[in-house]
């Protein structure tokens, strides 16, 4: 969260600053040199701004669920069988039934390119895959979660990313069953899930 705030301030200052330098201190001959930097700083400003809401959501998840270190978490780049959405995914075990597998799909692809290069795929380089092994995980795969890679020392998470079931935020989707109790659902609500019913609903 702190780095997101710092980044937002930095790119907010960079865009008008570069524009001011270009207009006031440079001749027309140097406009094309500054223009790419100005456009990129504008792009980063927009990206940082739209990321704020997800940063706050991740903060709520981390206030509700503890971090876990998971090893050998299956992942993929193609569509997961029977998943609602297409896209990259991680596969987790149901907290109440370890025989049941639950996918969490990267529904929002913002800031997901880094993860794209490290999930299991035919072109994934082994040294990149090891960067998310073990995987930091906080949440409940039946609702929402935060995943992260380890820092260089392996003692803290970095590259945090929000994953969630679409039903957690979209009232048009019926929640999966997955054996969630009212206690599980209430905990997910505290973590930020918004559209869950009072009881779990089976898949239509």
């Amino acid at each position: 969260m702190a780095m997101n705030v710092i980044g937002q301030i930095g790119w907010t200052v960079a865009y008008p600053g570069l524009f001011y330098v270009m207009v006031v201190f440079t001749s027309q001959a140097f406009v094309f040199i500054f223009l790419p930097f100005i456009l990129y700083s504008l792009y980063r400003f927009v990206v940082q701004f739209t990321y704020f809401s997800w940063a706050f959501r991740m903060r709520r998840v981390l206030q509700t669920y503890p971090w876990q270190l998971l090893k050998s978490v299956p992942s993929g780049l193609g569509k997961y069988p029977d998943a609602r959405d297409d896209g990259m995914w991680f596969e987790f075990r149901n907290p109440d039934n370890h025989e049941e597998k639950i996918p969490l799909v990267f529904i929002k692809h913002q800031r997901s390119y880094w993860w794209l290069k490290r999930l299991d795929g035919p072109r994934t380089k082994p040294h990149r895959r090891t960067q998310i092994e073990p995987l930091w995980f906080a949440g409940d795969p039946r609702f929402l979660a935060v995943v992260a890679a380890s820092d260089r020392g392996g003692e803290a998470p970095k590259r945090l990313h929000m994953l969630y079931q679409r039903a957690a935020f979209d009232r048009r989707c019926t929640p999966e069953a997955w054996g969630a109790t009212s206690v599980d659902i209430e905990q997910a609500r505290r973590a930020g899930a918004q559209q869950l019913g009072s009881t779990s609903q089976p898949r239509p």
Side-chain angles (χ1 to χ4, degrees), residues 105-172:
V105 179
F106 284 68
I107 298 174
K108 292 289 184 180
H109 293 282
Q110 186 182 36
R111 289 192 171 190
S112 63
Y113 182 76
W114 187 90
W115 291 91
L116 171 67
K117 293 295 186 178
R118 287 154 181 84
L119 300 186
D120 293 320
R123 297 184 180 180
T124 303
K125 297 180 179 180
H127 76 275
R128 288 185 171 175
R129 184 64 178 85
T130 59
Q131 294 175 8
I132 56 174
E133 177 64 36
L135 181 73
W136 291 75
F137 177 87
D140 186 328
R142 295 170 293 184
F143 308 109
L144 71 179
V146 175
V147 294
S150 294
D151 63 5
R152 288 190 176 183
E155 299 179 354
K158 69 173 184 178
R159 297 279 183 178
L160 277 65
H161 196 92
M162 181 87 172
L163 297 176
Y164 58 93
Q165 303 294 343
R166 187 174 290 277
F169 298 110
D170 189 344
R171 67 181 62 189
R172 295 170 297 180

Side-chain angles (χ1 to χ4, degrees), residues 38-194:
I38 291 173
L39 293 177
Y40 181 71
S41 63
L42 177 61
Y43 161 76
R44 288 303 302 266
F45 169 77
V46 173
V47 169
Q48 289 289 138
F49 186 80
T50 55
Y51 185 70
F52 254 114
S53 63
W54 291 104
F56 281 108
R57 284 177 173 175
M58 285 191 287
R59 185 170 181 268
R60 288 190 64 177
V61 172
L62 296 176
Q63 289 175 332
T64 306
Y65 297 99
W67 280 117
Q68 305 175 56
L69 279 175
L70 306 181
K71 295 182 178 181
S72 303
V73 177
S75 64
L77 303 178
K79 179 175 173 58
Y80 187 91
D82 299 326
R84 296 180 189 266
D85 300 284
D86 295 338
M88 312 181 297
W89 50 267
F90 278 111
E91 179 190 270
F92 299 97
R93 297 289 180 172
N94 186 331
D96 292 328
N97 179 8
H98 284 197
E99 297 300 318
E100 188 173 22
K101 302 173 183 178
I102 299 176
L104 273 174
V105 179
F106 284 68
I107 298 174
K108 292 289 184 180
H109 293 282
Q110 186 182 36
R111 289 192 171 190
S112 63
Y113 182 76
W114 187 90
W115 291 91
L116 171 67
K117 293 295 186 178
R118 287 154 181 84
L119 300 186
D120 293 320
R123 297 184 180 180
T124 303
K125 297 180 179 180
H127 76 275
R128 288 185 171 175
R129 184 64 178 85
T130 59
Q131 294 175 8
I132 56 174
E133 177 64 36
L135 181 73
W136 291 75
F137 177 87
D140 186 328
R142 295 170 293 184
F143 308 109
L144 71 179
V146 175
V147 294
S150 294
D151 63 5
R152 288 190 176 183
E155 299 179 354
K158 69 173 184 178
R159 297 279 183 178
L160 277 65
H161 196 92
M162 181 87 172
L163 297 176
Y164 58 93
Q165 303 294 343
R166 187 174 290 277
F169 298 110
D170 189 344
R171 67 181 62 189
R172 295 170 297 180
C173 293
T174 303
E176 304 284 358
W178 286 324
T181 66
S182 59
V183 174
D184 298 326
I185 293 173
E186 182 58 34
Q187 187 177 28
R189 283 176 174 164
R190 292 199 304 272
Q194 299 170 356

